[in-house]
Amino acid sequence: MASSTLICETQPWKDLKSHVEDIKKTHLRELLSDTDRCKSMVVDFDGITLDYSRQRATPGTMDKLYNLAEAAHLKQKIDRMFNGEHINSTENRSVLHVALRAPRDAVIQSDGKNVVPDVWNVLDKIKDFSERIRNGSWVGATGKALTDVISVGIGGSFLGPLFVHTALQTDPEASKCATGRQLRFLANVDPIDVARNIAGLKPETTLVVVVSKTFTTAETMLNARTLRAWISKELGPSAVAKHMVAVSTNLTLVEKFGIDPNNAFAFWDWVGGRYSVCSAVGVLPLSLQYGFTVVEKFLKGASSIDQHFYSAPFEKNLPVLLGMLSVWNVSFFGYPARAILPYSQALEKFAPHIQQVSMESNGKGVSIDGKPLPFETGEIDFGEPGTNGQHSFYQLIHQGRVIPCDFIGVVKSQQPVYLEGEVVNNHDELMSNFFAQPDALAYGKTPEELQKENVLQHLVPHKTFSGNRPSLSLLLSSLDAYKIGQLLAIYEHRVAVQGFIWGINSFDQWGVELGKSLATQVRKQLHASRVKGEPVEGFNFSTTTMLTKYLKESSEVPANPPTILPRI
């Protein structure tokens, strides 16, 4: 549904531009006193409650946002995504991460082919393989069971699976299934990350999963070769086939690397890296750790949101509401950032994953037609679990810049603790902050209130809180595999909604490529200088100076070193 008209040129956009000036005159204290308004801004779906009454918006604002969604052809764009049309126009691809968690009997077309059977062929293969590893029928080169897994990948091949793994670690069902097993993720090409990953592990009980669609990603493949050397040094080169498997589409390079192509698990070009956690990228390592049954619940949770997103009316549609409110905050209030604040330590890796999903998707400067945009897109996403964040950056959120906040809470803790004689249990203490912080941001504290409390006059300006700082709250009934899948899909689709409204392509990432190509030039220079003693040439003064200094001060590095692996 590409259009030559930019969304900012439409009447609904102009209406919202006028409307925001009226809203700016109204404080959240006043908006929150309207009970009917607040009731209209609470939405429930399948164990999740969204309360967006602390957004700087009225029912009239929402109507104007629905008009904007209509002008942006939001429903048609959602349909086109689910129908497998090539909405990733710059790469001429479908965008079908929803197919990765679709029911076995679903029909989702890409280029005239139902892709769901292909997805389930891979899922069935993962189920069979992970069960053989877990029950000990597949063993390593020395006959020992493989109880430890290192998943090697970067970006979308790392952040999503790490988030899910971290969230499942303390879930009672999942943790029981993971007894006696370890899962680690190697992403950074920094040798320190290698050292940390292999620390305490033995090659004879370790399985390495190499995740690279093309099997050419520079950082991932260097890390893979490093772990191959670690295995080969201890067990011999022939052991690689028993201790390394791949998630890739390039079977030629997989085989050349030393991995049996039969032990390669496919995914497809209609899956973007940051949307790939529900593919073999995430499902394989997570199934090895927790068993396929647990991971299938995660997929079903994501699928439940997919169907909700596809079919629910906009006023009850969680991803649509979240996406439209983000557009409202970014494009009309001009707020540049968003804080993602889960009040659950199990979600500590959620914000880093959503950083990539959001900022890599919507950090664009041109429309889907290539027109420069006269407005900002995307936002700076960051976050930390409560209450840790409160003792870190909440000072800025309360009295510095205005940063819209997502508060995510869970009714039932994964690991409840009760201490005799305490006023509240540990989870209630956590949730007391979850409920208090949004109100503190919304209401603030006035000089008059401080004076009534007999605060010293010279401290009144320092203790005044302006309030009127928007937030929204998501309350989950629990945090099991199903709910984790739901939360993932809500945020994936929220990002898509923002991009659909802004009229950009949320599914390419050309901004990642430039640094890669420049790194290739530096890599060649480092090799030439180390091996042949060639001077640094072809760079600007600053880079030449720094490179020369680096080479001089690391001159002890041998030109052709023997294999040396880290030891901790």
Side-chain angles (χ1 to χ4, degrees), residues 53 145 213 262 279 309 320 359 389 417 423 450 469 472 478 551:
S53 61
K213 184 183 290 187
N262 292 319
S279 73
F309 177 51
V320 169
M359 295 169 74
V417 171
V423 175
L450 293 165
R469 292 162 184 259
L472 57 85
S478 61
L551 286 161

Side-chain angles (χ1 to χ4, degrees), residues 339-361:
I340 298 170
L341 309 171
Y343 277 66
S344 170
Q345 192 64 29
L347 296 175
E348 64 178 305
K349 294 299 182 182
F350 183 59
H353 175 51
I354 300 306
Q355 273 183 336
Q356 188 200 17
V357 174
S358 171
M359 295 169 74
E360 193 167 274
S361 294

Side-chain angles (χ1 to χ4, degrees), residues 535-553:
V536 176
E537 293 179 337
F539 299 92
N540 60 44
F541 172 81
S542 296
T543 304
T544 300
T545 302
M546 295 293 275
L547 261 177
T548 302
K549 183 177 178 65
Y550 172 72
L551 286 161
K552 182 179 179 182
E553 295 190 10

Side-chain angles (χ1 to χ4, degrees), residues 88-107:
N88 180 355
S89 54
T90 61
E91 296 178 303
N92 195 27
R93 293 174 180 171
S94 304
V95 176
L96 282 178
H97 42 282
V98 295
L100 299 172
R101 54 257 188 156
R104 196 183 288 268
D105 58 356
V107 177

Side-chain angles (χ1 to χ4, degrees), residues 32 56 84 209 248 400 426 452 485:
L32 286 167
R56 298 180 69 182
V209 179
S248 181
N426 297 43
K452 286 179 182 177

Side-chain angles (χ1 to χ4, degrees), residues 295-315:
V295 179
E296 191 172 16
K297 291 177 181 177
F298 161 73
L299 297 176
K300 286 180 177 177
S303 182
S304 79
I305 294 296
D306 294 342
Q307 295 312 307
H308 167 73
F309 177 51
Y310 182 69
S311 61
F314 285 176
E315 63 271 15

Side-chain angles (χ1 to χ4, degrees), residues 509-564:
Q509 59 282 328
W510 299 107
V512 179
E513 303 302 321
L514 179 59
K516 287 183 181 180
S517 62
L518 293 176
T520 299
Q521 297 175 34
V522 177
R523 189 183 302 119
K524 290 177 180 177
Q525 179 67 63
L526 287 170
H527 176 76
S529 297
R530 294 263 194 232
V531 176
K532 304 173 186 175
E534 293 183 5
V536 176
E537 293 179 337
F539 299 92
N540 60 44
F541 172 81
S542 296
T543 304
T544 300
T545 302
M546 295 293 275
L547 261 177
T548 302
K549 183 177 178 65
Y550 172 72
L551 286 161
K552 182 179 179 182
E553 295 190 10
S554 62
S555 58
E556 76 282 359
V557 174
N560 293 292
T563 296
I564 301 172

